Amino acid sequence: MILEQFDIKLFLAEYWQRKPCLIKKAIDLSDEPVSPDELAGLACEEEVESRLVRCDDTGKKWHLTHGPFSEETFLQLPPANWTLLVQAVDIWHPPVKNLKRHFRFIPDWRIDDVMVSYATDHGGVGPHFDYYDVFLLQGCGRRRWFTGGLCEADAALMEDCELRILEKFVPEQEFMVESGDMLYLPPRFAHQSISEGASVCYSIGFRAPSAVEMLQGISDELSCRSGDEERYRDGEPGIPEHPGEIRRQVIADLHQWLLQKVNDTDAIARWFGSFVTSPRYENLRFPQPTSKTGLKAGVSGGKGLARDSHARLAFLRQESETHLFADGHRYRMTNELMPLASRLCDAQFIEAAFLAPWLKNNEALDLLLALVNSGSLVLTDIATDSEE
C-alpha cells in the first residue's frame, strides 16, 4: 500500500502548495534504499553532483565544498556538524528511483529528482527556503525540523556565506521525524533541520521553472515558427503631428500583433511538453541502437521495453493528434497510438505480450524504434522497476 497513513485527497485540498504537513509512518523504509557508504561512493564519482556542507559549533560559520570527493576527504572530516548532499540519486541507484512511484498523485513530469543527504550529529544546511515543493522522507536516524513563514525573494541572507542561509529565522513549528516519516514543504517556506545523531533524508523535489525560463522558452519556440520575412508594418498611415512621437495606436497595434502570436495554445502546449521532459543531465544516456528487425526479434524472443533510469516521458492529447514527449523530444502521432503513448508514460517496463501487436503497426514500430535508438527505452528481458 502506498502512503498508508496518508489521505491524498485531503492533502491536495488543504496542504499542497499551501502549508507544511507532517505524515507519520508514510513509507516503510525498514530496507534502506541507499546506505551512507554507497552515498559517499556516489559523491566520489565525476558524473555525480554532490556537495559537502560544514558548520562550526556556533552555527555562524558555514563552508560549502562541491564534489567529486576523494575517500581521504571523508576520513578527515570531524565526527559532527557536517552534511553530504548528493543530487539525483534516483538516476544512479534503482532502489531510490523506486521511491518516486509513491508520489504519482502528482504528475510524473512535475517530479525533478531525489536528492539524498547524510548528516552527522548536529548536521544541517542552515535555515533557508526553496522555490519548489519538496517531500522530505526520513531514512535511518532522526532529524528535528523547524518551519517558519513564507519568505519573499528579497529576504535577507547571511553575509559572506556561500549558502543561501537566512539572516533571521523565526521557527513557528517543530517536528521530530524518524524513519518512514515525511515532511511536506510548499515553496518559499523557511525551514531548517538538525540531525540528532547520524541520519539520512530523501528529498523528493518538484520542478518549478521560473517565469524567466518559461518566457524565454516560449519566445524561442514562437520565434522559430515565424520567418525572417515577417516584418513590422505600419497601421493606418497618417502625417504625424510630431515626427519623434511613438503614437499610442502604434503600441496598440503592436500589442494586438503579439497577442495573436502567443494565442497559439497548441504551439505552447507542444513547447511545454518538450520543456518539462528535458533531461537535467544531457550526457548520461548511452543508447543501444537496433533496427526494426532487431526490435521485432527481441520482442518475439520475449524481451520487453524498460524506461531508461532517468528518462522523462509525458504525452499530450489533442483533437486530431497525440504527442509523446521523451527527454525533450516530441513525437507526433495519430490518436490511434494514444493507448501506446499512455502506456509508455505510465509504466517502467512494458512486456512483450503488450508490444507484439503494436509492432505490426508501422507508425508504432517507428516510434518505438526511435525511442530505443535515442536511449529513452531499453530492449531487455528484465523488469527492474516494476510498478506493480
Short mmCIF file of all heavy atoms in Angstrom, two decimals, residues 78-113:
data_model
loop_
_atom_site.label_atom_id
_atom_site.label_comp_id
_atom_site.label_asym_id
_atom_site.label_seq_id
_atom_site.Cartn_x
_atom_site.Cartn_y
_atom_site.Cartn_z
N PRO A 78 35.38 15.80 10.71
CA PRO A 78 35.12 15.65 12.14
C PRO A 78 33.91 14.74 12.36
O PRO A 78 33.17 14.42 11.43
CB PRO A 78 34.83 17.09 12.60
CG PRO A 78 34.32 17.77 11.38
CD PRO A 78 35.07 17.16 10.23
N PRO A 79 33.67 14.32 13.59
CA PRO A 79 32.56 13.40 13.86
C PRO A 79 31.18 14.04 13.82
O PRO A 79 30.17 13.33 13.82
CB PRO A 79 32.88 12.88 15.27
CG PRO A 79 33.70 13.96 15.89
CD PRO A 79 34.51 14.55 14.78
N ALA A 80 31.09 15.36 13.78
CA ALA A 80 29.79 16.03 13.83
C ALA A 80 29.81 17.31 12.99
O ALA A 80 30.84 17.73 12.47
CB ALA A 80 29.42 16.36 15.28
N ASN A 81 28.61 17.90 12.83
CA ASN A 81 28.44 19.21 12.20
C ASN A 81 28.74 19.25 10.69
O ASN A 81 29.21 20.24 10.17
CB ASN A 81 29.30 20.29 12.89
CG ASN A 81 28.81 20.59 14.29
OD1 ASN A 81 27.64 20.42 14.60
ND2 ASN A 81 29.72 21.03 15.15
N TRP A 82 28.44 18.18 9.99
CA TRP A 82 28.56 18.25 8.54
C TRP A 82 27.49 17.40 7.87
O TRP A 82 26.94 16.47 8.46
CB TRP A 82 29.96 17.85 8.05
CG TRP A 82 30.43 16.48 8.40
CD1 TRP A 82 31.17 16.12 9.49
CD2 TRP A 82 30.23 15.26 7.64
NE1 TRP A 82 31.44 14.77 9.47
CE2 TRP A 82 30.88 14.22 8.34
CE3 TRP A 82 29.58 14.97 6.45
CZ2 TRP A 82 30.88 12.90 7.88
CZ3 TRP A 82 29.58 13.66 5.98
CH2 TRP A 82 30.22 12.64 6.69
N THR A 83 27.20 17.75 6.62
CA THR A 83 26.16 17.08 5.83
C THR A 83 26.66 16.87 4.41
O THR A 83 27.21 17.78 3.80
CB THR A 83 24.87 17.93 5.79
OG1 THR A 83 24.39 18.14 7.11
CG2 THR A 83 23.79 17.24 4.97
N LEU A 84 26.44 15.68 3.90
CA LEU A 84 26.73 15.36 2.50
C LEU A 84 25.43 15.31 1.74
O LEU A 84 24.48 14.62 2.15
CB LEU A 84 27.45 14.01 2.40
CG LEU A 84 27.66 13.45 0.98
CD1 LEU A 84 28.65 14.32 0.20
CD2 LEU A 84 28.15 12.00 1.03
N LEU A 85 25.36 16.04 0.62
CA LEU A 85 24.16 16.05 -0.22
C LEU A 85 24.52 15.56 -1.61
O LEU A 85 25.47 16.08 -2.24
CB LEU A 85 23.56 17.46 -0.31
CG LEU A 85 23.24 18.14 1.03
CD1 LEU A 85 24.31 19.18 1.36
CD2 LEU A 85 21.87 18.81 0.98
N VAL A 86 23.78 14.58 -2.10
CA VAL A 86 24.03 14.01 -3.42
C VAL A 86 22.76 14.15 -4.25
O VAL A 86 21.69 13.68 -3.87
CB VAL A 86 24.47 12.54 -3.33
CG1 VAL A 86 24.76 12.00 -4.73
CG2 VAL A 86 25.69 12.40 -2.45
N GLN A 87 22.89 14.81 -5.38
CA GLN A 87 21.75 15.12 -6.23
C GLN A 87 21.42 13.94 -7.15
O GLN A 87 22.30 13.18 -7.56
CB GLN A 87 22.09 16.34 -7.10
CG GLN A 87 20.91 17.17 -7.52
CD GLN A 87 20.32 17.97 -6.38
OE1 GLN A 87 21.04 18.54 -5.57
NE2 GLN A 87 19.00 18.00 -6.30
N ALA A 88 20.12 13.83 -7.47
CA ALA A 88 19.65 12.87 -8.49
C ALA A 88 20.14 11.45 -8.24
O ALA A 88 20.57 10.75 -9.16
CB ALA A 88 20.05 13.35 -9.89
N VAL A 89 20.06 11.00 -7.01
CA VAL A 89 20.49 9.63 -6.69
C VAL A 89 19.59 8.62 -7.37
O VAL A 89 19.99 7.49 -7.65
CB VAL A 89 20.51 9.42 -5.16
CG1 VAL A 89 20.93 8.00 -4.80
CG2 VAL A 89 21.47 10.41 -4.50
N ASP A 90 18.35 9.02 -7.71
CA ASP A 90 17.44 8.11 -8.40
C ASP A 90 17.97 7.69 -9.77
O ASP A 90 17.59 6.64 -10.28
CB ASP A 90 16.06 8.76 -8.54
CG ASP A 90 16.13 10.16 -9.13
OD1 ASP A 90 16.81 11.02 -8.53
OD2 ASP A 90 15.50 10.41 -10.18
N ILE A 91 18.82 8.49 -10.37
CA ILE A 91 19.41 8.13 -11.66
C ILE A 91 20.38 6.98 -11.50
O ILE A 91 20.47 6.08 -12.35
CB ILE A 91 20.13 9.34 -12.29
CG1 ILE A 91 19.12 10.41 -12.71
CG2 ILE A 91 20.99 8.92 -13.47
CD1 ILE A 91 19.77 11.66 -13.27
N TRP A 92 21.10 6.97 -10.39
CA TRP A 92 22.21 6.04 -10.22
C TRP A 92 21.85 4.82 -9.40
O TRP A 92 22.57 3.81 -9.46
CB TRP A 92 23.37 6.78 -9.53
CG TRP A 92 23.72 8.05 -10.20
CD1 TRP A 92 23.35 9.31 -9.82
CD2 TRP A 92 24.50 8.22 -11.39
NE1 TRP A 92 23.85 10.24 -10.69
CE2 TRP A 92 24.56 9.60 -11.67
CE3 TRP A 92 25.16 7.33 -12.24
CZ2 TRP A 92 25.25 10.11 -12.75
CZ3 TRP A 92 25.84 7.84 -13.32
CH2 TRP A 92 25.88 9.21 -13.58
N HIS A 93 20.79 4.89 -8.63
CA HIS A 93 20.51 3.83 -7.67
C HIS A 93 19.04 3.42 -7.76
O HIS A 93 18.16 4.13 -7.27
CB HIS A 93 20.83 4.35 -6.26
CG HIS A 93 21.17 3.29 -5.29
ND1 HIS A 93 22.30 2.50 -5.38
CD2 HIS A 93 20.52 2.87 -4.17
CE1 HIS A 93 22.34 1.67 -4.36
NE2 HIS A 93 21.27 1.85 -3.62
N PRO A 94 18.72 2.28 -8.40
CA PRO A 94 17.33 1.88 -8.63
C PRO A 94 16.44 1.87 -7.38
O PRO A 94 15.28 2.30 -7.45
CB PRO A 94 17.46 0.49 -9.24
CG PRO A 94 18.77 0.52 -9.95
CD PRO A 94 19.66 1.36 -9.08
N PRO A 95 16.90 1.41 -6.21
CA PRO A 95 16.01 1.43 -5.04
C PRO A 95 15.55 2.84 -4.67
O PRO A 95 14.44 3.03 -4.17
CB PRO A 95 16.87 0.81 -3.93
CG PRO A 95 17.84 -0.07 -4.64
CD PRO A 95 18.17 0.67 -5.89
N VAL A 96 16.40 3.83 -4.92
CA VAL A 96 16.00 5.22 -4.66
C VAL A 96 15.02 5.69 -5.73
O VAL A 96 14.04 6.39 -5.43
CB VAL A 96 17.23 6.15 -4.61
CG1 VAL A 96 16.81 7.61 -4.49
CG2 VAL A 96 18.13 5.76 -3.44
N LYS A 97 15.26 5.29 -6.97
CA LYS A 97 14.32 5.63 -8.04
C LYS A 97 12.92 5.10 -7.73
O LYS A 97 11.91 5.76 -8.00
CB LYS A 97 14.80 5.05 -9.37
CG LYS A 97 13.86 5.32 -10.53
CD LYS A 97 14.30 4.60 -11.79
CE LYS A 97 13.28 4.78 -12.90
NZ LYS A 97 13.65 4.04 -14.12
N ASN A 98 12.85 3.92 -7.12
CA ASN A 98 11.55 3.32 -6.82
C ASN A 98 10.73 4.15 -5.84
O ASN A 98 9.51 4.01 -5.77
CB ASN A 98 11.75 1.90 -6.26
CG ASN A 98 12.09 0.90 -7.34
OD1 ASN A 98 11.81 1.12 -8.52
ND2 ASN A 98 12.72 -0.19 -6.96
N LEU A 99 11.39 5.01 -5.07
CA LEU A 99 10.66 5.86 -4.13
C LEU A 99 9.68 6.78 -4.87
O LEU A 99 8.62 7.14 -4.35
CB LEU A 99 11.63 6.71 -3.31
CG LEU A 99 12.47 5.99 -2.26
CD1 LEU A 99 13.44 6.97 -1.61
CD2 LEU A 99 11.58 5.35 -1.20
N LYS A 100 10.03 7.15 -6.10
CA LYS A 100 9.20 8.12 -6.82
C LYS A 100 7.82 7.58 -7.15
O LYS A 100 6.88 8.36 -7.36
CB LYS A 100 9.91 8.57 -8.10
CG LYS A 100 11.19 9.35 -7.84
CD LYS A 100 11.66 10.12 -9.05
CE LYS A 100 12.08 9.25 -10.17
NZ LYS A 100 12.70 10.02 -11.29
N ARG A 101 7.67 6.26 -7.17
CA ARG A 101 6.36 5.70 -7.51
C ARG A 101 5.31 6.03 -6.46
O ARG A 101 4.12 5.96 -6.72
CB ARG A 101 6.46 4.18 -7.70
CG ARG A 101 6.83 3.40 -6.45
CD ARG A 101 7.14 1.95 -6.77
NE ARG A 101 7.63 1.22 -5.61
CZ ARG A 101 6.85 0.57 -4.76
NH1 ARG A 101 5.53 0.58 -4.93
NH2 ARG A 101 7.36 -0.07 -3.74
N HIS A 102 5.76 6.37 -5.24
CA HIS A 102 4.81 6.73 -4.18
C HIS A 102 4.17 8.10 -4.41
O HIS A 102 3.22 8.45 -3.71
CB HIS A 102 5.52 6.74 -2.83
CG HIS A 102 6.03 5.40 -2.39
ND1 HIS A 102 5.19 4.40 -1.94
CD2 HIS A 102 7.29 4.89 -2.34
CE1 HIS A 102 5.92 3.34 -1.61
NE2 HIS A 102 7.19 3.61 -1.85
N PHE A 103 4.68 8.86 -5.34
CA PHE A 103 4.24 10.25 -5.49
C PHE A 103 3.53 10.50 -6.82
O PHE A 103 3.47 11.63 -7.30
CB PHE A 103 5.46 11.18 -5.35
CG PHE A 103 6.14 11.03 -4.02
CD1 PHE A 103 7.18 10.12 -3.86
CD2 PHE A 103 5.72 11.76 -2.93
CE1 PHE A 103 7.80 9.95 -2.64
CE2 PHE A 103 6.33 11.60 -1.70
CZ PHE A 103 7.37 10.70 -1.55
N ARG A 104 2.92 9.45 -7.37
CA ARG A 104 2.28 9.61 -8.67
C ARG A 104 0.89 10.23 -8.57
O ARG A 104 0.18 10.29 -9.57
CB ARG A 104 2.25 8.27 -9.41
CG ARG A 104 3.64 7.69 -9.60
CD ARG A 104 3.67 6.55 -10.58
NE ARG A 104 3.75 7.05 -11.96
CZ ARG A 104 3.77 6.27 -13.02
NH1 ARG A 104 3.71 4.95 -12.87
NH2 ARG A 104 3.85 6.77 -14.23
N PHE A 105 0.52 10.70 -7.38
CA PHE A 105 -0.69 11.51 -7.28
C PHE A 105 -0.41 12.94 -7.75
O PHE A 105 -1.31 13.76 -7.86
CB PHE A 105 -1.22 11.52 -5.84
CG PHE A 105 -0.23 11.94 -4.79
CD1 PHE A 105 -0.13 13.26 -4.43
CD2 PHE A 105 0.60 11.00 -4.19
CE1 PHE A 105 0.80 13.66 -3.46
CE2 PHE A 105 1.51 11.38 -3.22
CZ PHE A 105 1.61 12.72 -2.86
N ILE A 106 0.86 13.24 -8.01
CA ILE A 106 1.29 14.45 -8.71
C ILE A 106 1.84 13.98 -10.06
O ILE A 106 2.53 12.96 -10.12
CB ILE A 106 2.39 15.19 -7.92
CG1 ILE A 106 1.92 15.51 -6.50
CG2 ILE A 106 2.79 16.48 -8.65
CD1 ILE A 106 0.75 16.47 -6.41
N PRO A 107 1.54 14.66 -11.17
CA PRO A 107 2.01 14.18 -12.48
C PRO A 107 3.52 13.92 -12.50
O PRO A 107 4.31 14.67 -11.92
CB PRO A 107 1.64 15.34 -13.43
CG PRO A 107 0.46 15.99 -12.78
CD PRO A 107 0.72 15.88 -11.30
N ASP A 108 3.91 12.84 -13.19
CA ASP A 108 5.31 12.47 -13.28
C ASP A 108 6.20 13.61 -13.76
O ASP A 108 7.33 13.77 -13.29
CB ASP A 108 5.48 11.28 -14.24
CG ASP A 108 5.04 9.97 -13.63
OD1 ASP A 108 4.78 9.93 -12.41
OD2 ASP A 108 4.95 8.98 -14.37
N TRP A 109 5.70 14.37 -14.74
CA TRP A 109 6.55 15.40 -15.33
C TRP A 109 6.85 16.54 -14.36
O TRP A 109 7.75 17.35 -14.61
CB TRP A 109 5.92 15.94 -16.62
CG TRP A 109 4.51 16.43 -16.52
CD1 TRP A 109 3.36 15.74 -16.81
CD2 TRP A 109 4.07 17.73 -16.09
NE1 TRP A 109 2.26 16.51 -16.60
CE2 TRP A 109 2.65 17.75 -16.16
CE3 TRP A 109 4.72 18.88 -15.67
CZ2 TRP A 109 1.89 18.86 -15.82
CZ3 TRP A 109 3.96 20.00 -15.32
CH2 TRP A 109 2.56 19.98 -15.41
N ARG A 110 6.15 16.57 -13.23
CA ARG A 110 6.44 17.60 -12.22
C ARG A 110 7.61 17.21 -11.33
O ARG A 110 8.29 18.05 -10.76
CB ARG A 110 5.20 17.84 -11.36
CG ARG A 110 4.14 18.65 -12.03
CD ARG A 110 4.48 20.14 -11.97
NE ARG A 110 4.09 20.71 -10.68
CZ ARG A 110 4.94 21.21 -9.79
NH1 ARG A 110 6.22 21.21 -10.02
NH2 ARG A 110 4.49 21.72 -8.65
N ILE A 111 7.85 15.90 -11.17
CA ILE A 111 8.92 15.46 -10.29
C ILE A 111 10.28 15.74 -10.92
O ILE A 111 10.51 15.47 -12.10
CB ILE A 111 8.79 13.96 -9.97
CG1 ILE A 111 7.49 13.69 -9.19
CG2 ILE A 111 9.99 13.47 -9.16
CD1 ILE A 111 7.27 12.24 -8.83
N ASP A 112 11.18 16.29 -10.11
CA ASP A 112 12.51 16.60 -10.60
C ASP A 112 13.46 15.44 -10.32
O ASP A 112 13.81 14.67 -11.21
CB ASP A 112 13.03 17.88 -9.93
CG ASP A 112 14.30 18.40 -10.59
OD1 ASP A 112 14.78 17.76 -11.53
OD2 ASP A 112 14.80 19.45 -10.16
N ASP A 113 13.86 15.26 -9.08
CA ASP A 113 14.76 14.17 -8.76
C ASP A 113 14.67 13.87 -7.27
O ASP A 113 13.89 14.48 -6.54
CB ASP A 113 16.20 14.51 -9.17
CG ASP A 113 16.79 15.65 -8.32
OD1 ASP A 113 16.06 16.22 -7.47
OD2 ASP A 113 17.98 15.97 -8.49
#
